[in-house]
Amino acid sequence: MLSRLLKEHQSKQNERKELQEGRRREAITAATCLTEALVDHLNVGVAKAYVNQRKLDHEVKTLQVQAGQFSKQTGQWISMVEGFNQALKEIGDVENWARSIEMDMRTIATALEYVHKGQLTSCGRTRQSISNKSIF
C-alpha cells in the first residue's frame, strides 16, 4: 500500500509538473505575443514619426531654397530701387542746374535789356543835344 501511495503521489506529481510546464509554456507564449503586440504598436508610432520627420526635412529643404530665392530677388529689388533713387536724384540735380542756368540767363537778359535801354536813352540825349547845338 505504501508503494502504491508512493506511485500515486509520484504520478500526481508528474501530472502536476506537466500541467505546470504546459501553463509555463502558455505564459511564455502569451508574454511573447503581448511583447510582439506592444512592439508592433510602438513601431507603428515610430514609423509614423519617421515618415513625418522625412516630410518635415523635405519641407525644410524646400523652404530654405525658397528663402534663398526670395532673398536673391529682394536683393535685386533693393538694387533696382537704389538705382531708381539715384536716377531721381540725378534728375533733380539736372532740374536744379537748369533752373540755376535759367535764372542766370534771365538775370543776364534783364541786364542786357537795361543796358540797351540805357544806351537808347543816352543815344537819344546825345542826338537831342547835337540837334539843339546846331539850332543855336
Side-chain angles (χ1 to χ4, degrees):
M1 186 148 160
L2 195 56
S3 92
R4 188 174 60 100
L5 281 174
L6 181 63
K7 284 183 182 181
E8 281 180 22
H9 175 67
Q10 285 176 348
S11 156
K12 286 184 181 181
Q13 231 179 2
N14 283 337
E15 285 176 17
R16 283 188 196 137
K17 277 184 181 179
E18 286 177 15
L19 184 63
Q20 191 70 15
E21 185 64 28
R23 289 180 182 164
R24 187 179 70 79
R25 278 185 255 153
E26 286 176 10
I28 289 173
T29 304
T32 302
C33 287
L34 176 65
T35 303
E36 287 176 359
L38 289 173
V39 168
D40 287 344
H41 180 70
L42 289 175
N43 282 342
V44 168
V46 169
K48 285 181 183 178
Y50 178 74
V51 168
N52 289 339
Q53 182 64 38
R54 287 186 49 150
K55 287 179 183 177
L56 284 173
D57 289 342
H58 177 71
E59 291 295 323
V60 165
K61 287 178 184 176
T62 303
L63 184 61
Q64 285 175 340
V65 167
Q66 289 175 349
Q69 290 172 345
F70 180 71
S71 176
K72 184 178 179 182
Q73 189 175 25
T74 302
Q76 291 172 345
W77 288 346
I78 288 171
S79 296
M80 288 174 59
V81 167
E82 287 175 355
F84 181 71
N85 283 340
Q86 185 63 32
L88 285 177
K89 287 178 185 177
E90 290 173 4
I91 289 172
D93 291 344
V94 168
E95 186 177 352
N96 286 335
W97 174 79
R99 283 184 189 156
S100 177
I101 294 294
E102 183 180 2
M103 291 299 291
D104 289 346
M105 295 305 284
R106 284 185 183 178
T107 303
I108 291 169
T110 304
L112 288 174
E113 284 178 29
Y114 181 72
V115 168
H116 181 66
K117 285 180 184 177
Q119 285 180 350
L120 286 178
T121 307
S122 64
C123 283
R125 285 185 198 158
T126 308
R127 287 185 185 156
Q128 283 179 352
S129 28
I130 294 173
S131 56
N132 288 339
K133 287 182 185 179
S134 49
I135 298 176
F136 292 119

